[in-house]
Amino acid sequence: MKLKKLLAIALALVMVLALCACGSSSSSTTADSSASTDTAAADTSAADTAADDAAAADDTASDDAEEVEETELTTINAGKLTVSMSADFPPYENLDDSGDIVGIEVDIMSLIAEQLGLELQIDDMDFDSALLAVQQGKSDMVVSGVTITEERKLVMNFTDSYTTAVQVIVVPEGSEVTLDNLGDQLIGTQRGTTGFIYCEDDYGSDHVVGYDSYTLVIQALLNGQVDCVVMDDSVARAYVAENPSLSILDTEYAVEEYAFGVDKNNTALLDAVNTVLNALIDDGTVQSIIDQYISE
């Protein structure tokens, strides 16, 4: 009897131990599951935080980019591209019958201003004053068939050249003026232009008369106050077309490159304008504009 009791007790102990073991395994599984859930939650939270940080960084970068862009496009009049020019230089810029300023450079500058997100403002004045305006910070740019010269590079920056120009000699019909005897003549030019500078250098100031505008230069030629005029070929053709008593000598006086002058202190604007200008040159837009105004 004692033996049976002992066996019963032993069996009971074995069952108790088995139950404890099962309980421990279940508890361990629950703990592992809980830990896994907590880890996943922590990972998700970390991912969300990283995403939020990345988004914040993107917003900051975007804000910085906008701030840089605004800084790069600083102009003398906020939101405007102020351009000085002498609107007596057809077909590059001149007044039409309605009194509006039109021409090759007007069209190009309109596209550049639009691409830069600026409003184009044109200030019309004589050529000398137009050059001074950009030097004195009264305009952002100067455009009027401006030729790149070493002297001008000292006081303004230049965009890349967008076209080649030729200086020619305009004379009355029947004139005996030639390139060979030009130094014996009284030459009319627009003051401040390369034609004025070249002629003074070649023949001396006594043989050169400078006028504020080409309109006045041509009028002086028609009135016999000068013997000839040195000016850009395409501009000369425009004036000769309106004055049949004038003609252009079949010879070149000088060949030069036209570009746009930019405020010496605004290199950011120079870079921005060059980027747009070169894109317009590369896709043929500039040439198509020139072809609208100048036929060979």
Side-chain angles (χ1 to χ4, degrees):
M1 188 70 178
K2 273 186 173 182
L3 181 59
K4 288 182 179 179
K5 283 184 178 180
L6 288 172
L7 289 172
I9 291 170
L11 182 60
L13 287 172
V14 170
M15 292 177 66
V16 170
L17 290 171
L19 288 171
C20 288
C22 290
S24 176
S25 176
S26 176
S27 176
S28 175
T29 302
T30 302
D32 290 344
S33 176
S34 176
S36 177
T37 301
D38 291 343
T39 301
D43 290 345
T44 301
S45 177
D48 290 343
T49 300
D52 291 341
D53 290 345
D58 286 343
D59 290 341
T60 301
S62 178
D63 291 341
D64 289 345
E66 290 177 3
E67 184 176 341
V68 169
E69 184 175 351
E70 289 176 1
T71 301
E72 288 178 347
L73 297 182
T74 297
T75 55
I76 61 170
N77 295 309
K80 295 183 178 181
L81 183 62
T82 303
V83 174
S84 55
M85 66 171 59
S86 180
D88 64 336
F89 197 66
Y92 294 90
E93 45 266 324
N94 60 278
L95 299 177
D96 65 9
D97 293 337
S98 301
D100 297 322
I101 301 176
V102 298
I104 293 170
E105 293 182 321
V106 177
D107 288 357
I108 294 174
M109 290 311 303
S110 295
L111 291 176
I112 290 175
E114 180 182 349
Q115 290 291 320
L116 296 180
L118 299 170
E119 176 187 348
L120 180 62
Q121 176 178 312
I122 296 175
D123 292 342
D124 182 21
M125 58 193 74
D126 65 73
F127 187 69
D128 250 354
S129 297
L131 292 175
L132 284 173
V134 76
Q135 298 172 46
Q136 297 172 348
K138 296 178 181 178
S139 70
D140 299 305
M141 300 178 64
V142 54
V143 305
S144 273
V146 182
T147 303
I148 303 171
T149 68
E150 293 304 315
E151 292 78 8
R152 288 174 180 168
K153 284 182 180 179
L154 298 176
V155 293
M156 68 182 74
N157 289 324
F158 280 99
T159 65
D160 295 332
S161 173
Y162 75 92
T163 192
T164 299
V166 177
Q167 293 279 325
V168 297
I169 303 166
V170 180
V171 296
E173 283 288 359
S175 171
E176 296 183 358
V177 174
T178 67
L179 183 60
D180 292 334
N181 67 19
L182 194 59
D184 299 327
Q185 315 301 325
L186 194 58
I187 307 165
T189 63
Q190 185 180 37
R191 192 176 288 109
T193 63
T194 49
F196 179 86
I197 296 168
Y198 297 156
C199 290
E200 276 205 330
D201 288 346
D202 290 343
Y203 308 114
S205 57
D206 290 345
H207 289 275
V208 182
V209 182
Y211 296 86
D212 287 337
S213 70
Y214 274 124
T215 302
L216 294 176
V217 177
I218 293 298
Q219 193 59 51
L221 181 61
L222 292 170
N223 293 340
Q225 295 169 285
V226 294
D227 300 311
C228 59
V229 170
V230 171
M231 62 197 310
D232 176 271
D233 174 54
S234 56
V235 182
R237 280 187 277 168
Y239 278 106
V240 168
E242 295 180 355
N243 299 278
S245 63
L246 302 179
S247 63
I248 302 170
L249 295 185
D250 187 20
T251 185
E252 296 178 354
Y253 179 61
V255 179
E256 51 198 13
E257 298 290 326
Y258 279 176
F260 303 129
V262 182
D263 185 339
K264 191 77 170 176
N265 298 315
N266 201 341
T267 54
L269 179 61
L270 173 68
D271 293 340
V273 170
N274 259 335
T275 298
V276 178
L277 176 61
N278 282 304
L280 294 174
I281 291 172
D282 291 343
D283 68 12
T285 299
V286 168
Q287 189 57 52
S288 68
I289 291 173
I290 293 173
D291 291 343
Q292 289 176 23
Y293 290 89
I294 300 176
S295 58
E296 295 300 332

